Amino acid sequence: MTTMETKTGGKSMPWESYHHEPHWRSASDEFDAAKLGMWLFLTTEVLLFAGIFCAYAIFRMLYPEAFANGSALLDVKFGFINTVVLLVSSFTVAMAVRCAQLNQQFWLKVNIYITLFCAALFVFIKFTFEYIPKWSEGKRPGAFFDYPFAHHPAEPLWWAVYYCGTGIHALHVLIGAGLLTWVLVRAHKGIYGPKNYTMVETSALYWHLVDLVWIFLFPLLYLIH
Amino acid sequence: MTAIDRPQDVVGHEHEEGSFLDNRGLGFWGTIWDWASTVDHKKIGLMYLTAVLLMFFLGGVAGLAVRIELMEPMRMAETIGEDGTPTVELQGVAIDFGSEQTAEDGTKYWSFESTRESASTTYNRLFTIHGAVMVFLFIIPSIPAALGNFLLPLMLGAKDVAFPKLNLFSWYIYLTGATIAVVSLVLMGTDTGWTFYTPYSIQTDADYYRVFLMILAAFVLGFSSILTGLNFIVTVHKLRAPGMGWFDMPLFVWAIYATSIIQVLATPVIGITLLLLIFERLFRVGIFDASMGGDPVLYQHFFWFYSHPVVYVMILPAMGIISELLAVHSRKHIFGYRAIAFSSLGIAGVSFLVWGHHMFTAMGELASAVFSALTFLVAIPTAIKVFNWIATLYKGSIAINTPMLYALAFLFLFSIGGLTGLPLGALATDLHLHDSYFVVAHFHYVMMGGTVIAFIGGLHHWWPKMFGKMYNEKVGMFACVLVFIGFNTTFFTQFILGTQGMPRRYASYVDEFQLLHQISTVGSWLLAIGFLIHLGNFLHSLIAGPKAPPNPWGGLSLEWEAESPPTAHNFHHEPLVKHGPYDFESVVPPHCSEEEFPLPKSVS
């Protein structure tokens, strides 16, 4: 990591000349505001998923058998692997923020690369081992349901909740990965460092939320029968 | 970059001297691009203002059409001729139905019902257009996005909102949502009502994408609302001028702050609801479909968990405007500043606990009783505000001008609107009144008699600040009186219709209701004329109005320290707050002399 510092040695990095936007009194005000803004946005995301969790709770209460049957058809193994993948990515993205604060440019990028790899791995596992096999077996939501071994008429509803919940979550994984890709491109330009790591931190916060939602989805969908 | 080829002495002063409206020799397309790419909160506010007024016009025309349809009940007369051929007259005009129709099962029939149905469907589409446009495109963004964008940074003494680019982004999201909604309307619109209740909304117009487009538009507009609210919260937290504590903020800012909290906390829920509704509509996932085990009432719970708080997104900023208008135009320190500020937050808090009163008949008795009791709670902070406003007027030096007339109209109309909410919140009376014209009249008294009246009043109050031009006071006052009379004629009759049993959303009615419906329709024309006179007055002011001084009303909040219209960066120097926004008794207003606005003589 020290090699990067010597490499850039003479000329200054873009982050060193960072100046806050003119309507702010100081860079620290700007940073605090950005973080407050992101936390508020995360609140809205939590409330968005609250709708899914609420639907889950109500239909689980109405049709406990259908939900138990449906849940038993999920493979805990893949759910668990994906949980680990996301937890690792959350760790690396937190390290990325730390590296930006300490001007460890090399490890900043490495950590974001690992995070993005985890994101891709998550989506890959989700589709290859879960969505695609299940869909082809007829375990589909609502009107598409075509699974011959269903025991309860409300099982299509379980799959509706499963696909809507994990689908919207997967969409958020992609949005988060997109954000981090943008951060990575800018990190390659040397834009982030101790004087300017706002975007790294806010994107990391967003990524933690994506992780956190899965931490709730995993037990609710896979573990509780 | 462009500064290089300009005279040296202009550079640096350029932004300080000119108003933000100045066209700096950019030419036509340059000006368009300047506005389209601006991050200036004032320009974005004015673009919102133009858009919401356009939408008000669109929704208003649909509303007038609804009223015209209700001038007469649909009188259908069917007579069977000697040869067994039915003759049908609609409104006294014989209708030709062509030939006999054959149904799928082989029975023959005359499709005289179809004309009646198509007339009713047109009516359903019209009131849906009226409702959806007014709610999603006009009233929600009206005060926060238009006036709020323009005024919030000025009132806080800031150069801009916290995230100017995000602000522009949310304007474009609004524009996208509005475009999608208009496309849906151009394709003949939807007949679901603005609430999109399932199962009807997932079945109607099965072959078309209009309902999908309308739902998508509401979904997209939600993002605009969230981002604007988020931006405002951070702005209030982080960009207050030096010396301005939380309790030195104008009450309009408090109201916008409370509004923004609701926007941020409630709108995501409509986001997921509409998203699930789109899934339901396109893929039949079954979550809201009873035939697949889903629950249509769950949709209603989700919908109103957003849409009831959003009612306060509509009214809270209006209350903020009224606090400003009454204090400035009666030159009195606002009575009970903290009570008004906290009651805004109180309303925001209670707003999340009352959604169930939209579904009294779909819940158990206990749940209904609890929601009813919680609904009554809303009356407490609301009444605190009304009493404080009236106490502010007491012994004030009341100026009779358009903003003040609107503020007084608000007090009168909003009180009626608020108080008629109580019989709707009480279970016993609601059983009789729900889904009747009483409900229609109630929410029009709150939404229109409250929000729109305050919005127009606020527009007159801040018009000189926004455009640097004065409007014609006499014309404004005349139009205000006309609007007031027209409004009451239109909607008070509907209270009576409702108590007599006229159901809402019906295209036709029994003859007994006709007189009241006709009075109501004539009232809607008065209302329209009043608004058109305002429009003319504003346009005349823009073209030929006298130049406005920086502080025509003697206001003390920071926006009156700026020029009219403000410079591009709002203030020449960052303002330092030394007095409260309502210290009329002790402070000579900025840009004013003591002769213009004399301080009260101390009685010794």
Side-chain angles (χ1 to χ4, degrees):
Chain A
M1 50 192 137
T2 47
T3 51
M4 281 304 292
E5 280 163 22
T6 48
K7 208 170 163 185
T8 53
K11 59 181 182 196
S12 69
M13 302 273 290
W15 64 263
E16 288 175 68
S17 55
Y18 177 76
H19 198 263
H20 57 83
E21 297 274 332
H23 64 290
W24 291 103
R25 270 173 230 114
S26 68
S28 77
D29 270 9
E30 185 184 44
F31 175 72
D32 289 347
K35 267 182 85 169
L36 178 60
M38 187 39 101
W39 276 106
L40 283 169
F41 189 71
L42 297 188
T43 316
T44 71
E45 291 283 12
V46 168
L47 282 156
L48 183 91
F49 281 101
I52 295 283
F53 288 123
C54 185
Y56 172 90
I58 283 164
F59 292 127
R60 187 184 174 82
M61 195 182 68
L62 288 175
Y63 315 111
E65 287 169 46
F67 270 51
N69 294 346
S71 180
L73 293 172
L74 295 181
D75 196 332
V76 181
K77 184 174 67 206
F78 295 119
F80 178 74
I81 294 172
N82 260 346
T83 309
V84 174
V85 167
L86 280 188
L87 283 175
V88 169
S89 73
S90 243
F91 173 75
T92 52
V93 86
M95 288 312 290
V97 179
R98 188 79 189 132
C99 294
Q101 289 168 342
L102 297 176
N103 194 26
Q104 296 166 344
Q105 296 288 338
F106 175 72
W107 289 106
L108 165 65
K109 282 169 260 177
V110 167
N111 275 311
I112 299 177
Y113 272 117
I114 298 174
T115 312
L116 286 174
F117 173 74
C118 286
L121 189 62
F122 178 91
V123 176
F124 174 76
I125 292 174
K126 195 89 216 142
F127 273 85
T128 321
F129 300 113
E130 301 208 84
Y131 283 162
I132 293 169
K134 287 195 176 62
W135 190 273
S136 56
E137 288 164 21
K139 298 165 187 166
R140 302 171 197 160
F144 298 100
F145 187 75
D146 192 22
Y147 184 58
F149 309 110
H151 298 296
H152 193 283
E155 275 182 45
L157 206 57
W158 151 265
W159 292 108
V161 171
Y162 169 79
Y163 279 101
C164 288
T166 56
I168 294 171
H169 175 260
L171 182 69
H172 279 76
V173 171
L174 294 177
I175 295 169
L179 258 179
L180 287 170
T181 309
W182 186 60
V183 169
L184 183 67
V185 169
R186 284 161 60 95
H188 271 286
K189 293 178 186 163
I191 287 172
Y192 301 117
K195 277 174 108 176
N196 175 27
Y197 57 92
T198 313
M199 267 309 295
V200 188
E201 173 134 12
T202 47
S203 311
L205 278 173
Y206 186 84
W207 189 256
H208 289 314
L209 175 96
V210 170
D211 186 15
L212 192 69
V213 170
W214 180 256
I215 296 297
F216 280 88
L217 280 175
F218 172 57
L220 288 179
L221 295 175
Y222 292 78
L223 299 183
I224 307 174
H225 290 316
Chain B
M1 290 190 291
T2 50
I4 296 163
D5 44 31
R6 287 183 189 177
Q8 204 59 44
D9 57 341
V10 177
V11 180
H13 294 284
E14 179 190 29
H15 290 297
E16 288 302 319
E17 297 303 324
S19 100
F20 78 102
L21 285 171
D22 280 353
N23 181 336
R24 295 178 220 99
L26 290 168
F28 179 71
W29 292 109
T31 311
I32 299 268
W33 175 246
D34 184 46
W35 280 76
S37 64
T38 185
V39 289
D40 183 346
H41 68 100
K42 300 183 287 300
K43 287 183 176 174
I44 294 173
L46 291 190
M47 289 194 286
Y48 266 117
L49 183 66
T50 317
V52 295
L53 288 178
L54 200 65
M55 289 302 155
F56 184 51
F57 181 76
L58 186 64
V61 169
L64 286 172
V66 164
R67 282 302 338 154
I68 287 170
E69 198 277 347
L70 290 166
M71 273 292 267
E72 283 187 22
M74 279 190 208
R75 290 198 185 86
M76 302 265 300
E78 183 192 359
T79 43
I80 309 287
E82 282 173 10
D83 56 345
T85 318
T87 318
V88 178
E89 291 184 347
L90 181 66
Q91 309 284 60
V93 180
I95 295 164
D96 177 22
F97 293 113
S99 56
E100 224 174 8
Q101 310 273 319
T102 313
E104 279 175 20
D105 58 359
T107 53
K108 294 189 184 300
Y109 68 100
W110 293 88
S111 67
F112 65 89
E113 274 299 319
S114 67
T115 301
R116 188 198 188 105
E117 270 171 24
S118 74
S120 310
T121 307
T122 308
Y123 175 81
N124 291 349
R125 293 186 198 288
L126 277 173
F127 79 68
T128 304
I129 291 173
H130 174 66
V133 168
M134 284 299 194
V135 170
F136 294 116
L137 289 161
F138 167 64
I139 220 171
I140 292 176
S142 64
I143 301 176
L147 292 182
N149 246 320
F150 192 95
L151 291 169
L152 187 74
L154 282 167
M155 285 184 161
L156 293 172
K159 284 181 191 151
D160 209 322
V161 291
F163 310 117
K165 285 177 201 154
L166 189 70
N167 202 17
L168 182 67
F169 183 54
S170 76
W171 155 249
Y172 278 109
I173 297 177
Y174 172 82
L175 215 54
T176 311
T179 310
I180 297 172
V182 169
V183 167
S184 165
L185 298 183
V186 169
L187 298 172
M188 292 302 288
T190 60
D191 61 348
T192 58
W194 75 277
T195 48
F196 311 120
Y197 269 15
T198 56
Y200 188 66
S201 62
I202 49 180
Q203 293 164 352
T204 179
D205 285 338
D207 303 335
Y208 299 97
Y209 287 100
R210 299 186 290 243
V211 180
F212 162 69
L213 282 174
M214 205 60 188
I215 300 169
L216 184 68
F219 176 73
V220 170
L221 289 166
F223 279 99
S224 170
S225 187
I226 288 176
L227 294 178
T228 304
L230 186 154
N231 215 336
F232 287 177
I233 292 179
V234 179
T235 308
V236 171
H237 273 270
K238 296 286 175 190
L239 277 171
R240 298 192 307 277
M244 184 184 276
W246 281 86
F247 295 106
D248 304 317
M249 299 193 308
L251 285 165
F252 180 70
V253 175
W254 270 103
I256 289 284
Y257 181 71
T259 307
S260 303
I261 290 177
I262 303 178
Q263 281 179 309
V264 166
L265 294 184
T267 316
V269 180
I270 197 71
I272 188 73
T273 310
L274 295 177
L275 202 58
L276 290 176
L277 188 60
I278 288 172
F279 290 164
E280 191 72 66
R281 170 102 197 163
L282 296 181
F283 312 123
R284 307 303 304 273
V285 291
I287 289 178
F288 299 134
D289 188 344
S291 66
M292 285 191 248
D295 189 356
V297 180
L298 180 67
Y299 172 80
Q300 298 184 17
H301 278 283
F302 276 5
F303 182 83
W304 288 110
F305 186 85
Y306 159 78
S307 292
H308 199 80
V310 129
V311 168
Y312 301 101
V313 164
M314 304 174 198
I315 195 67
L316 274 172
M319 293 170 160
I321 288 181
I322 295 306
S323 302
E324 300 298 322
L325 300 193
L326 287 176
V328 172
H329 294 284
S330 65
R331 308 217 60 71
K332 266 280 297 291
H333 195 290
I334 192 93
F335 188 89
Y337 174 93
R338 287 192 186 216
I340 295 179
F342 282 121
S343 63
S344 288
L345 294 180
I347 290 174
V350 176
S351 74
F352 283 95
L353 308 174
V354 301
W355 80 90
H357 66 215
H358 293 271
M359 289 150 282
F360 277 154
T361 49
M363 291 189 300
E365 281 175 16
L366 178 67
S368 296
V370 170
F371 274 120
S372 174
L374 287 166
T375 302
F376 290 148
L377 279 185
V378 180
I380 296 170
T382 313
I384 288 175
K385 280 177 187 285
V386 173
F387 290 133
N388 279 322
W389 289 326
I390 292 170
T392 303
L393 288 172
Y394 180 65
K395 286 193 174 175
S397 153
I398 297 173
I400 293 297
N401 52 24
T402 316
M404 178 50 99
L405 280 188
Y406 267 108
L408 296 175
F410 174 95
L411 286 180
F412 185 80
L413 301 176
F414 177 72
S415 297
I416 294 178
L419 289 171
T420 50
L422 292 172
L424 291 171
L427 293 176
T429 39
D430 183 59
L431 211 57
H432 176 68
L433 295 172
H434 85 278
D435 266 346
S436 77
Y437 262 60
F438 193 87
V439 181
V440 177
H442 157 69
F443 70 71
H444 277 92
Y445 262 82
V446 178
M447 299 290 90
M448 189 159 182
T451 310
V452 177
I453 292 291
F455 177 55
I456 306 290
L459 204 53
H460 281 91
H461 181 71
W462 284 294
W463 184 267
K465 180 58 57 189
M466 293 170 130
F467 297 100
K469 296 282 179 71
M470 296 304 286
Y471 59 87
N472 186 315
E473 196 68 78
K474 278 182 188 153
V475 174
M477 281 162 67
F478 172 72
C480 174
V481 171
L482 205 58
V483 165
F484 182 78
I485 295 169
F487 178 85
N488 283 301
T489 316
T490 311
F491 293 107
F492 201 83
T493 44
Q494 299 186 2
F495 279 126
I496 304 166
L497 279 171
T499 49
Q500 291 178 352
M502 171 76 207
R504 67 188 287 200
R505 290 185 168 177
Y506 275 42
S508 187
Y509 48 83
V510 293
D511 287 352
E512 285 80 354
F513 294 140
Q514 190 174 1
L515 178 66
L516 286 169
H517 269 299
Q518 284 181 333
I519 295 174
S520 179
T521 302
V522 171
S524 73
W525 298 340
L526 288 181
L527 203 48
I529 294 169
F531 284 128
L532 287 176
I533 294 175
H534 276 315
L535 181 68
N537 196 16
F538 281 144
L539 292 178
H540 176 264
S541 155
L542 281 183
I543 297 162
K547 192 176 167 7
N551 193 0
W553 318 121
L556 288 179
S557 39
L558 290 177
E559 80 269 26
W560 302 112
E561 285 187 19
E563 301 290 332
S564 291
T567 58
H569 288 186
N570 293 353
F571 301 97
H572 294 298
H573 306 283
E574 183 170 51
L576 183 65
V577 180
K578 291 175 189 152
H579 57 77
Y582 306 109
D583 294 340
F584 297 105
E585 285 87 350
S586 54
V587 180
V588 179
H591 303 292
C592 296
S593 65
E594 210 183 323
E595 288 87 63
E596 281 176 286
F597 296 102
L599 300 175
K601 292 185 182 68
S602 56
V603 184
S604 53

